Amino acid sequence: MTEWTKPLPHPTPLSQPFWDGTKEREIRLQRCDACGAHRFPPLVLCRVCLAEEHQWVPTSARGTLYSYVIQHRPATPAFIDDLPYVVAIVELDEGPLMLTNIVGCEIDALEVGMRVEATYFDASDDITLYPFTPSKE
Amino acid sequence: MPAPRDVAIVGVHATKQGRNLGRTALSLMLESFNGALDDAGMTKNDVDGVISFEFPAGTGAGNTLGEVAFQLGNPMRFTSHFSGVPALLYAAAMVRDHVADVIAIPFGGSQEETDGATAAYTRPGYEFTEWTGSTTPAQMALQTRRHMALYGTTSEQLAHCAATLRNNANINPEAVMFGRGPYTAQDVLDSRMIADPYTLLMCALVNDGGSCIIVTSADRAKDCKSTPVWVLSGGIGCFYTSYYFPPTLQPLETRDRMLGAFSRAGVTHDDIDFVTTYDHFASGVPMEYEAAGFCEVGDGGPFCVENIGLDQRFPVSPDGGNLGYSHCINPYNLRIIEAVRQFRNDTPDLCPNSHLGEHTYDRSICRKVRDPKLAVACGPFTGAFSMSILAKD
């Protein structure tokens, strides 16, 4: 594996199950036991009903492109080789919005509302990132 | 029914705004504080409340409420953390309730304390943001792209907003971008791409500067040497922490609340003479006109092209706004100070006698709004939005 020089996420006890999921090629979210709503980023309480009890469940890992930006300036020098790169928000089919990158897509083909799905990239032994790509379904 | 004119801005001051002034945030803040007291004709012993940002990345370590209280040597009867429009609305409420009589809202920002870059809190090391390579402009550009997709807002419309503000700054000798123009919308579109859809000239620079606002009751305002500017009403809506949670257009939902603020003030949008938007990026202009209810949600792009010029119906920030006048890391107060200075006819520009308050209204040299009586000053459109309605007698 090429050495990863970009920032690595630092999981917290609250978020660790999410990162356990990406390592196993799944997008897992908290699903509220009381009302069934999914939530992301990880939260102590449900955004819909404020119940705490929840399960971490696999999702479709699919959604629609909610918005995107084409970066022509790097966040830090570590991102220079990626320019131009796409920072995006995906609206997962389960509801929550997720900040991510779009990879494997021509810039001109990007369109708000297009179908996308997660891909997985092992950035370290502990962290697997989850850029999205146009859906093949 | 008109709102009672019971709370006033009686003192304002902005220090020199500029890049790399070589000053600490605290020194800029204290200079602006003294300047605003002088402007009001007050002394430090009059002040019994203070509202200021307190996060090191934005304003500099030591720029804290306790430090201000210690510096003044006065016990504070009210302290809170914010700046600009939200702070003004807190101050007005506290003065109306006699919790405190004279509240200062000082601010200082220094690039030396932010590594010369955007405020560090806009670039958090958050586990669901940082790895994507998102930048400060990207977070607002994500809102903007969504607005473009839903409502058809165009890059040309955003460029028009940026050019309008930068042209106002071009004739404001106090502006950081003074003399850099004039600009056409095409110039803005042709500047290099930063975070598509934003080009360079759609993004505010970052610079240093201090600013302060003094708020008090109508009774105390009678003893001040300045002409009072009345705080009629306003509104605040907060939806999520910017730069952490994925940005959305939810702050547009504050529109109904802002319409309520107009009702409480007893004025209509047609009565408003000018608007000071918070335009750290060009998209703030159309979105804030929408959220403040000047047009329907989604119509801000075409609305701005027709309405925000100095001789059009609702001129935008005649000082040049964040894009042209100053983006002193957190320029919240400056949006209010420009409104106050327009009311007072204290608007330096290139008119030969602007220092005497004489204006030509030749828009190649003059940025004075004609005889303004009512203004709307805005806070940033991020994960929140805020607005206040200001008036002079």
Side-chain angles (χ1 to χ4, degrees), chain B residues 166 169-170 172 175-181 183 201 205 323-325:
Chain B
R166 288 177 178 277
N170 183 48
N172 176 4
V176 176
M177 302 304 270
F178 169 64
R180 299 290 192 90
Y183 296 93
L201 294 176
L205 74 178
L323 284 176
Y325 168 49

Side-chain angles (χ1 to χ4, degrees), chain A residues 15 19 67 70-72 85 101, chain B residues 127 132-133 138 142 194 196:
Chain A
S15 69
W19 296 108
S67 191
I70 304 147
Q71 292 281 162
H72 291 262
Y85 58 91
N101 295 134
Chain B
E127 61 184 309
T132 66
L142 284 165
I194 298 294
D196 188 351

Side-chain angles (χ1 to χ4, degrees), chain A residues 7 9 11 15 18-19 40-42 66-73 75 79 85 87 89 97 99-101 112 129-130, chain B residues 126-135 138-139 141-143 145-146 149 192-197 245-249:
Chain A
S15 69
F18 175 83
W19 296 108
F40 184 84
Y66 180 89
S67 191
Y68 65 94
V69 171
I70 304 147
Q71 292 281 162
H72 291 262
R73 293 271 297 163
F79 288 90
Y85 58 91
V87 174
I89 300 170
L97 300 178
L99 193 74
T100 185
N101 295 134
V112 170
L129 301 176
Y130 48 96
Chain B
Y126 180 53
E127 61 184 309
F128 297 108
T129 301
E130 191 181 29
W131 71 268
T132 66
S134 173
T135 56
Q139 291 286 305
L142 284 165
Q143 286 180 315
R145 175 84 64 190
R146 181 78 180 163
R192 68 187 159 85
M193 195 61 84
I194 298 294
D196 188 351
F245 300 116
T248 72
L249 293 173

